[in-house]
Amino acid sequence: MGDELKFGEELNEPDEEKTRKKIFDLIVGAAGMTSMLRPDRVPHVKSHGCVNATFTVNKDIRPDLKVGIFAEPGKAYPARIRFSNSSSRRQEDRVKDARGMAIKLLLDDGTDQDFLLSTEKVFFAKTAVEFLKFTDLLTKFEGRQVLENEAKSEKAEGEHGLKRLARLIAASQRPHPPNPLSIPYFSQTPYLLGQRPDGLNRAVKYSAKPTSQQPELGVMGTCEEALRKHLKQADATFDFQVQVQTNPATMPIEDATIPWPEDEANGGSPYVTVATIEIKKWPEGGRDPVFDCERSSFRPWNYLKPHHRPLGVINRMREVYENAARTRLSPKTQNQLTALMTLKEPVDENRAKLKEVMEAHSLANGRTLDRLGFVHSARFLVIGDKFAIITQFDFDFRDYINTFVDELGPLFDQVVVLMQDAPRTPVQEHRDEFFAYLERIRLQPDLFYSSYPNLSVQNILTMKEGWESQHKEGGTK
């Protein structure tokens, strides 16, 4: 059947759209949960940092590759590059993992083009159903253990039918790289690069190959530290390459688990350099070149149309990443505060005073929260030498605190004087100090869930009033 395939030809799987919808529900739902805390991606959660770069099309680029982004030899594009671990959980760099390099080119018309690369040449899933199984497992508590057990098992195939997938994932888990700027990256999946002379699709895979001399970095630390150490000493450069599909049978579009051969004897083609990437050295006294870009997104389907369209079933499934990015970055109505204060010595005496303050003002405090109309819940706990505030509220954190200082300033005064490293009182006259104090003791929970993150207290009360109005007369319907 492979001999019958055409260049760049895509073949849809049975029930592919239904499978895609299930993946959509899982990934977008996960993005919605993580975004309540911070704009975490799903996957590639942990970033090593972003850098600015210049992406320059080679002046001697092959004529048949002068398409889209590569149409103008010598053209230089500003670029932003994010380096990351590929795992969907935030783990230390020393844990074995694949690594990612996401490139965003800033185009002249204000749009952009993304290239998503990984340290593995192949993807771990062959079909949409395999991708769904993997995504579904990640939403289960035992999911990772199931994959690890499948990869290690000597049995022919486990009950989950995931052995090949699990072993490909395990094979991609490489040791901590000494430097994200010293390793090659690959697109794993194919992309369109215009049309061939016969009118058929020209399919390619991408790669970024480091070409700069690697400086001595000393003792290995985190990947983020390695980025900074490298750029303090030297520029970093990569050759950006394409591998053109020359044999539809040996270089398949629909099976991203098969590596494309790089030699003609085995039905393949070599990688060809089409551009260079340059990341400039950190100038002495200049701004740190490694920065946070977690509020930006990198997506396979963010491309210069129509030239660089993603190809193959895995890319068709990954189209849901755009919706996940939108959910991840969308502003949420609700916010949360978890803060942990520490009592001064003598702890026992101050703990007793704190409980007296809280009990004396509990009724007024409750009435104030109810009257404000934007607090979903609030809990105040005295645990040993700690005083915890756990609250869920609407809109901006600073506005929330300022309103509380206005309404309950004297109560806060009685509380903070019992605490270590507390701001000056009255807090109404030292708002910036009080705000900075709360920022210092504020904790970010590892997980935070709300079943209605985009509903405010007033939204919920309005819905409640409507429900009560409908059922006031005649009982429930």
Side-chain angles (χ1 to χ4, degrees):
M1 180 179 176
D3 293 337
E4 300 173 0
L5 292 173
K6 297 177 182 178
F7 286 99
E9 182 180 13
E10 295 183 278
L11 300 172
N12 286 352
E13 297 179 3
D15 298 322
E16 185 175 301
E17 189 53 38
K18 291 182 180 178
T19 304
R20 181 181 175 279
K21 176 62 168 62
K22 293 176 181 179
I23 294 171
F24 173 94
D25 291 340
L26 289 169
I27 290 182
V28 174
M33 184 172 182
T34 61
S35 63
M36 290 295 294
L37 291 174
R38 52 183 175 249
D40 279 350
R41 290 165 166 79
V42 186
H44 287 270
V45 170
K46 186 182 179 186
S47 170
H48 308 318
C50 286
V51 296
N52 290 320
T54 303
F55 184 101
T56 306
V57 179
N58 279 14
K59 292 182 179 180
D60 60 352
I61 185 172
R62 262 174 32 187
D64 61 314
L65 303 179
K66 294 180 182 179
V67 177
I69 293 296
F70 312 108
E72 184 181 342
K75 173 71 175 178
Y77 299 94
R80 182 180 303 134
I81 302 176
R82 179 181 186 263
F83 295 94
S84 63
N85 293 338
S86 71
S87 177
S88 58
R89 57 184 171 186
R90 191 175 292 274
Q91 60 188 20
E92 294 183 14
D93 297 342
R94 61 180 174 81
V95 178
K96 287 185 176 181
D97 200 355
R99 316 294 163 170
M101 178 185 189
I103 305 168
K104 183 180 292 293
L105 305 187
L106 308 179
L107 309 185
D108 294 340
D109 62 358
T111 61
D112 43 61
Q113 157 82 42
D114 293 345
F115 297 107
L116 273 65
L117 311 176
S118 173
T119 45
E120 285 302 295
K121 291 185 178 181
V122 298
F123 201 72
F124 55 81
K126 175 180 179 179
T127 66
V129 172
E130 285 186 2
F131 199 157
L132 172 61
K133 285 182 179 180
F134 169 77
T135 306
D136 184 50
L137 276 175
L138 289 189
T139 68
K140 294 179 168 58
F141 288 111
E142 75 281 6
R144 293 181 185 278
Q145 192 60 53
V146 169
L147 286 169
E148 290 176 9
N149 292 343
E150 288 286 352
K152 296 174 183 177
S153 173
E154 296 299 326
K155 296 180 180 180
E157 182 61 90
E159 61 176 307
H160 301 278
L162 294 171
K163 182 172 294 297
R164 185 174 59 84
L165 182 149
R167 287 186 170 176
L168 281 171
I169 293 173
S172 73
Q173 311 296 295
R174 305 295 180 88
H176 182 345
N179 181 0
L181 299 172
S182 67
I183 52 179
Y185 300 86
F186 306 89
S187 68
Q188 301 181 297
T189 54
Y191 294 81
L192 185 69
L193 188 64
Q195 271 68 47
R196 292 160 42 92
D198 57 11
L200 299 176
N201 287 339
R202 179 188 289 106
V204 300
K205 288 187 176 181
Y206 299 116
S207 174
K209 178 182 177 182
T211 55
S212 50
Q213 183 175 357
Q214 301 302 308
E216 178 59 48
L217 301 183
V219 178
M220 181 182 295
T222 66
C223 289
E224 181 177 346
E225 289 169 349
L227 277 176
R228 287 194 170 88
K229 285 182 179 179
H230 181 124
L231 295 176
K232 277 187 174 181
Q233 300 179 57
D235 296 344
T237 56
F238 289 82
D239 278 348
F240 190 82
Q241 303 178 322
V242 300
Q243 182 186 23
V244 180
Q245 184 197 39
T246 55
N247 186 324
T250 58
M251 307 172 81
I253 297 297
E254 295 296 344
D255 187 352
T257 67
I258 296 179
W260 285 8
E262 298 179 34
D263 59 298
E264 294 181 10
N266 290 311
S269 66
Y271 280 94
V272 177
T273 301
V274 292
T276 58
I277 298 170
E278 183 180 28
I279 305 167
K280 284 292 189 183
K281 177 184 175 182
W282 188 347
E284 188 172 350
R287 180 179 299 178
D288 186 348
V290 182
F291 57 90
D292 183 303
C293 63
E294 295 309 279
R295 298 210 66 83
S296 61
S297 64
F298 300 83
R299 312 181 306 278
W301 285 83
N302 184 40
Y303 68 98
L304 178 63
K305 298 175 177 62
H307 310 288
H308 305 290
R309 179 171 61 83
L311 299 175
V313 64
I314 297 303
N315 274 333
R316 294 195 294 276
M317 296 304 101
R318 293 163 83 195
E319 193 171 3
V320 304
Y321 289 179
E322 182 155 354
N323 303 89
R326 191 178 302 117
T327 300
R328 177 176 67 86
L329 297 173
S330 64
K332 297 293 179 289
T333 300
Q334 294 177 28
N335 208 332
Q336 64 82 34
L337 168 66
T338 302
L340 201 61
M341 302 179 182
T342 303
L343 287 162
K344 294 191 298 190
E345 295 287 351
V347 171
D348 290 343
E349 180 181 327
N350 286 328
R351 184 191 303 116
K353 289 181 181 179
L354 177 61
K355 289 186 175 182
E356 288 179 8
V357 170
M358 298 307 297
E359 290 172 3
H361 296 279
S362 61
L363 182 59
N365 195 10
R367 285 177 175 173
T368 300
L369 293 174
D370 190 54
R371 179 168 50 81
L372 291 178
F374 58 78
V375 180
H376 292 265
S377 64
R379 291 174 290 284
F380 306 92
L381 305 174
V382 181
I383 310 170
D385 66 341
K386 305 296 183 185
F387 178 52
I389 301 174
I390 306 168
T391 179
Q392 189 173 342
F393 56 92
D394 294 329
F395 311 120
D396 182 73
F397 176 55
R398 185 178 285 271
D399 289 344
Y400 171 71
I401 296 302
N402 274 327
T403 302
F404 261 78
V405 169
D406 290 338
E407 296 288 337
L408 297 170
L411 174 58
F412 280 124
D413 291 343
Q414 295 180 59
V415 170
V416 298
V417 295
L418 303 174
M419 302 299 162
Q420 295 180 17
D421 304 317
R424 289 178 293 174
T425 57
V427 295
Q428 288 179 340
E429 296 178 12
H430 301 92
R431 290 173 187 261
D432 288 342
E433 284 187 33
F434 184 57
F435 187 82
Y437 169 68
L438 289 177
E439 285 285 23
R440 287 198 308 274
I441 64 171
R442 187 180 186 184
L443 304 176
Q444 282 290 4
D446 292 324
L447 288 175
F448 171 70
Y449 173 77
S450 171
S451 60
Y452 45 88
N454 290 313
L455 291 179
S456 67
V457 170
Q458 295 306 311
N459 292 150
I460 295 168
L461 291 176
T462 300
M463 293 166 65
K464 177 175 177 287
E465 290 172 1
W467 186 89
E468 290 174 343
S469 176
Q470 289 179 13
H471 294 79
K472 180 182 290 186
E473 299 180 1
T476 59
K477 298 181 181 179

Coordinates of all heavy atoms in Angstrom, one line a residue, residues 53-57 68-72 74-80 104-108 276 304:
A53 N 16.1 36.0 19.6 CA 17.1 35.5 18.6 C 16.8 36.2 17.2 O 15.8 36.9 17.1 CB 17.0 34.0 18.5
T54 N 17.7 35.9 16.3 CA 17.5 36.3 14.9 C 17.5 35.0 14.0 O 18.4 34.2 14.1 CB 18.6 37.3 14.5 OG1 18.6 38.4 15.3 CG2 18.3 37.7 13.0
F55 N 16.5 34.9 13.2 CA 16.3 33.8 12.3 C 16.5 34.3 10.9 O 15.7 35.0 10.4 CB 14.9 33.2 12.5 CG 14.6 31.9 11.7 CD1 14.6 30.7 12.3 CD2 14.3 32.0 10.4 CE1 14.3 29.5 11.6 CE2 14.0 30.8 9.7 CZ 14.0 29.6 10.3
T56 N 17.7 33.9 10.3 CA 18.1 34.4 8.9 C 18.1 33.3 7.9 O 18.7 32.3 8.0 CB 19.4 35.1 9.0 OG1 19.5 36.0 10.1 CG2 19.8 35.7 7.7
V57 N 17.3 33.6 6.8 CA 17.2 32.6 5.7 C 18.6 32.6 5.0 O 19.1 33.7 4.7 CB 16.1 33.0 4.7 CG1 16.0 32.0 3.6 CG2 14.7 33.0 5.5
G68 N 7.3 30.4 1.3 CA 6.8 30.9 2.6 C 7.9 31.7 3.3 O 8.4 32.7 2.9
I69 N 8.1 31.2 4.5 CA 9.1 31.9 5.4 C 10.5 32.0 4.7 O 11.3 32.9 4.9 CB 9.3 31.1 6.7 CG1 8.0 31.2 7.6 CG2 10.5 31.6 7.5 CD1 7.7 32.6 8.0
F70 N 10.8 31.0 3.9 CA 12.1 30.9 3.2 C 12.2 31.5 1.8 O 13.1 31.2 1.1 CB 12.5 29.4 3.2 CG 12.3 28.7 4.5 CD1 11.3 27.7 4.6 CD2 13.1 28.9 5.6 CE1 11.1 27.1 5.8 CE2 12.9 28.3 6.8 CZ 11.9 27.4 6.9
A71 N 11.2 32.2 1.5 CA 11.1 32.7 0.1 C 12.1 33.7 -0.3 O 12.6 33.8 -1.4 CB 9.7 33.3 -0.2
E72 N 12.6 34.5 0.7 CA 13.5 35.6 0.4 C 14.9 35.3 1.0 O 15.1 35.4 2.2 CB 13.0 36.9 1.0 CG 13.8 38.1 0.7 CD 13.2 39.4 1.3 OE1 12.0 39.4 1.6 OE2 14.0 40.4 1.4
G74 N 18.4 35.6 2.6 CA 19.0 36.7 3.4 C 18.0 37.4 4.3 O 18.4 38.3 5.1
K75 N 16.7 37.1 4.2 CA 15.7 37.7 5.1 C 15.9 37.3 6.5 O 16.1 36.1 6.9 CB 14.3 37.2 4.6 CG 13.2 37.7 5.5 CD 12.9 39.1 5.4 CE 11.7 39.5 6.3 NZ 11.4 41.0 6.2
A76 N 15.9 38.3 7.4 CA 16.1 38.1 8.9 C 14.8 38.4 9.6 O 14.2 39.4 9.4 CB 17.2 39.0 9.4
Y77 N 14.4 37.4 10.5 CA 13.2 37.6 11.3 C 13.6 37.7 12.7 O 14.4 36.9 13.2 CB 12.3 36.4 11.1 CG 11.8 36.1 9.7 CD1 12.4 35.3 8.9 CD2 10.6 36.7 9.3 CE1 12.0 35.0 7.6 CE2 10.1 36.5 8.0 CZ 10.8 35.6 7.2 OH 10.3 35.4 5.9
P78 N 13.0 38.6 13.5 CA 13.2 38.6 14.9 C 12.5 37.3 15.4 O 11.4 36.9 14.9 CB 12.4 39.8 15.4 CG 12.2 40.7 14.2 CD 12.2 39.8 13.0
A79 N 13.0 36.7 16.4 CA 12.4 35.4 16.9 C 12.5 35.4 18.5 O 13.3 36.1 19.1 CB 13.2 34.2 16.4
R80 N 11.6 34.6 19.0 CA 11.6 34.3 20.4 C 11.6 32.8 20.6 O 10.8 32.1 19.9 CB 10.3 34.9 21.1 CG 10.2 34.7 22.6 CD 8.9 35.3 23.1 NE 8.8 36.7 22.8 CZ 7.7 37.3 22.3 NH1 6.6 36.6 22.0 NH2 7.7 38.6 22.0
K104 N 9.3 31.1 17.8 CA 8.3 32.0 17.2 C 8.9 33.0 16.4 O 9.7 33.8 16.9 CB 7.4 32.6 18.3 CG 6.3 33.5 17.8 CD 5.5 34.1 18.9 CE 4.7 33.1 19.7 NZ 3.6 32.5 18.9
L105 N 8.6 33.1 15.1 CA 9.2 34.1 14.2 C 8.2 35.2 14.1 O 6.9 35.0 13.9 CB 9.4 33.5 12.8 CG 10.3 32.3 12.7 CD1 10.5 32.0 11.2 CD2 11.6 32.5 13.4
L106 N 8.6 36.5 14.3 CA 7.8 37.6 14.2 C 7.8 38.2 12.8 O 8.8 38.7 12.4 CB 8.2 38.7 15.3 CG 8.4 38.1 16.7 CD1 8.9 39.2 17.6 CD2 7.1 37.5 17.2
L107 N 6.7 38.1 12.1 CA 6.6 38.5 10.7 C 6.4 40.0 10.5 O 5.9 40.7 11.4 CB 5.6 37.6 10.0 CG 5.7 36.1 10.2 CD1 4.7 35.3 9.4 CD2 7.1 35.6 9.9
D108 N 6.6 40.4 9.3 CA 6.5 41.9 9.0 C 5.1 42.4 9.1 O 4.9 43.6 9.4 CB 7.0 42.2 7.6 CG 8.5 41.9 7.5 OD1 9.2 41.9 8.5 OD2 9.0 41.8 6.3
T276 N 19.7 30.2 9.6 CA 20.5 30.1 10.8 C 19.8 30.9 11.9 O 19.1 31.8 11.7 CB 21.9 30.8 10.6 OG1 21.7 32.1 10.2 CG2 22.7 30.0 9.6
L304 N 2.3 30.3 8.7 CA 2.1 31.2 7.6 C 1.3 30.5 6.5 O 1.8 29.6 5.9 CB 3.5 31.7 7.0 CG 3.4 32.6 5.8 CD1 2.7 33.9 6.1 CD2 4.8 32.9 5.3

